[in-house]
Amino acid sequence: MKTEVIDAINNLNKPKGSLGKLESLALQICLIQQTLHPKLQHPCHLLLGADHGIEKEGVSVSPREITWQQMINFTKGGGGVNMFCRQHHFKLFITDVGVDHDLSSYPTIINRKIGYGTGNFLYEAAMTQEQFGQALNVGEELVNQCAKEGCNVICLGEMGIANTSPSSVWMSLFGQLPLNRCVGAGAGLTHPGIAHKLDVLTRAVDNYMQYMPNPYQPENIIRYFGGFEMVAAIGGMLRAAELNMIIMIDGFIMTACALAASKLYPAITDYMIFGHQGDESGHKLLLDLLNAQPLLHLGLRLGEGTGALCAFPIIDSAVRMMNEMNNFDNANITKYF
C-alpha cells in the first residue's frame, strides 16, 4: 500500500516533493485509512478534566480551583478550545474524570469522575490499580461514542492544574533524561518556583524508585504519577489506534501522554499527528523522543488541545491534495521532474 500511495502522490500535477510536509502527511493519513482517497469525517475533540494531588506542594503558579472554574467556562463556550472547535467544526466532549469539585449540575459536562483529584505522588501513588483501569476505560468509552457517530479523527486536550509535573516525570523516566531537563515553568512559575518544583519532583521520583517494585514498568510509571485525565487520554489514544483513527496530539501534556501510550503500544505513533511545538520547556525534547515532526510552532502553551486544533487546516489540506488535485495523465501535462 505504501508504494501505491507514494506513486499516487508523485503523479499529482506538481514537481515531485514540492508540497513538502503535506506530502508526508498525506502518506501517513492514507496508510492509516488504507485508501488513496482519505476522508475526515465528524471530527471530535475530547476535553478531559481532573486535578492532581501534587498541586498541594506548590508546584503550580495557579491554584487548583482554576480547573473547575475553567470546566464551567467551557460549558458556556468561552474557552480557547471552544473557539477552535467552532472554527473547525469539531464536536466537543467536556468530561470530568477527576476534578476536585462537584460539577454534576452542569449537564453538558460528561460525569466520569473517578475521584476528587489524584493522590499526592510525593507520598503515595497518584491512583490505585482499579482507578488506573477506570481512567483507561473512560478514554476508550469516549472514543467508542465518537466512532458510533462516524468520527475518524480524534483530537485530545486536557484541563488540570499542575499536570506539567506528572508530564515532566514521565518524560524523565520514559526518556531516560535528567529531571532538570524536563521541568519547566508550567503556567508561569518564576525561577525560584521552577527550582522548588524540581526539588519536589526529584524527591517524589527518589521515593518511587526506592519503594516501587519494577519501577521501570510502564504501567507502574503511568499509574504512580499520572492524572486521571492523562490516563483517560492514553486510553482514548489506544482505542483510536485500534479503530484506525487519526489521533491529533496537542502540547506538552498530550505529548507526554503520547509517549506513555507508545510504551504500551509502540506502533501507536503511526496514527499520531503532532499539532505543534509549544513554549513549555522540554516540549521539543519530548517531541524528539517520539521522532515527531510538529506542524506548527506558534509559541502556544495553553493546552486544552488548542494547538492541535489550530493545525487541523493543514491536515485538511493534505487530504484535499489527494482528492482534488489532478494527476499528470488526466491533466495532459508532461511530467516535469
Side-chain angles (χ1 to χ4, degrees):
M1 182 70 189
K2 183 175 181 180
T3 300
E4 188 179 0
V5 176
I6 292 172
D7 287 344
I9 293 171
N10 288 342
N11 279 300
L12 296 174
N13 56 327
K14 59 173 181 59
K16 184 177 179 181
S18 61
L19 282 176
K21 181 64 177 177
L22 291 184
E23 297 190 20
S24 57
L25 193 55
L27 172 61
Q28 180 185 4
I29 294 169
C30 287
L31 292 178
I32 291 171
Q33 298 186 0
Q34 288 292 290
T35 179
L36 294 177
H37 300 287
K39 297 179 181 179
L40 301 174
Q41 298 176 164
H42 193 72
C44 291
H45 184 72
L46 309 183
L47 192 286
L48 306 160
D51 280 301
H52 296 254
I54 197 66
E55 177 271 339
K56 296 175 182 176
E57 302 300 320
V59 294
S60 173
V61 70
S62 302
R64 72 166 46 202
E65 59 261 29
I66 298 296
T67 304
W68 66 260
Q69 291 169 356
Q70 277 284 43
M71 292 290 283
I72 294 170
N73 182 42
F74 298 146
T75 69
K76 301 174 182 177
V81 66
N82 301 97
M83 173 186 68
F84 290 121
C85 282
R86 287 192 296 267
Q87 180 183 5
H88 302 307
H89 308 291
F90 275 69
K91 182 172 181 180
L92 176 60
F93 291 79
I94 308 169
T95 306
D96 173 10
V97 195
V99 178
D100 190 9
H101 191 80
D102 183 3
L103 297 171
S104 59
S105 61
Y106 295 88
T108 54
I109 297 179
I110 300 169
N111 183 5
R112 294 295 182 270
K113 193 188 294 289
I114 296 168
Y116 285 80
T118 54
N120 183 346
F121 63 67
L122 180 58
Y123 305 109
E124 60 180 341
M127 63 190 75
T128 66
Q129 191 68 46
E130 180 182 2
Q131 290 172 326
F132 175 70
Q134 286 179 278
L136 289 174
N137 289 339
V138 169
E140 180 180 358
E141 174 200 345
L142 292 170
V143 169
N144 284 339
Q145 177 60 41
C146 294
K148 287 179 182 177
E149 297 181 13
C151 171
N152 69 356
V153 53
I154 286 282
C155 190
L156 300 109
E158 39 63 40
M159 183 64 229
I161 296 303
N163 56 15
T164 61
S165 288
S167 299
S168 297
V169 173
W170 283 359
M171 177 183 173
S172 175
L173 293 178
F174 287 134
Q176 298 183 345
L177 293 171
L179 194 54
N180 63 357
R181 298 186 67 193
C182 307
V183 173
L189 287 172
T190 61
H191 288 297
I194 295 171
H196 171 72
K197 179 178 178 181
L198 176 60
D199 174 65
V200 169
L201 299 186
T202 299
R203 287 187 283 128
V205 171
D206 287 346
N207 291 341
Y208 168 81
M209 297 299 292
Q210 184 175 354
Y211 296 111
M212 174 62 74
N214 302 315
Y216 288 105
Q217 184 181 40
E219 291 89 344
N220 286 341
I221 294 172
I222 295 168
R223 179 179 68 84
Y224 196 94
F225 296 102
F228 292 135
E229 84 283 23
M230 298 168 70
V231 177
I234 293 170
M237 292 173 188
L238 293 170
R239 181 56 178 155
E242 288 180 338
L243 296 174
N244 296 315
M245 290 181 170
I246 296 166
I247 306 169
M248 295 171 59
I249 304 298
D250 188 44
F252 186 64
I253 313 303
M254 285 297 106
T255 307
C257 292
L259 178 63
S262 74
K263 299 303 178 182
L264 301 177
Y265 176 51
I268 198 169
T269 55
D270 294 341
Y271 300 85
M272 293 175 169
I273 296 174
F274 294 82
H276 75 116
Q277 179 185 318
D279 259 10
E280 172 66 16
S281 174
H283 191 202
K284 185 182 185 304
L285 281 174
L286 191 50
L287 290 164
D288 289 344
L289 289 172
L290 287 157
N291 296 313
Q293 300 295 320
L295 298 180
L296 302 172
H297 189 179
L298 300 176
L300 304 177
R301 55 182 179 89
L302 176 59
E304 305 172 12
T306 50
L309 291 166
C310 272
F312 182 71
I314 300 174
I315 299 171
D316 185 40
S317 292
V319 169
R320 288 176 181 272
M321 181 191 79
M322 295 301 297
N323 292 310
E324 299 180 22
M325 280 189 73
N326 214 338
N327 60 38
F328 285 108
D329 292 335
N330 290 336
N332 293 315
I333 297 173
T334 302
K335 284 186 178 182
Y336 52 100
F337 62 84

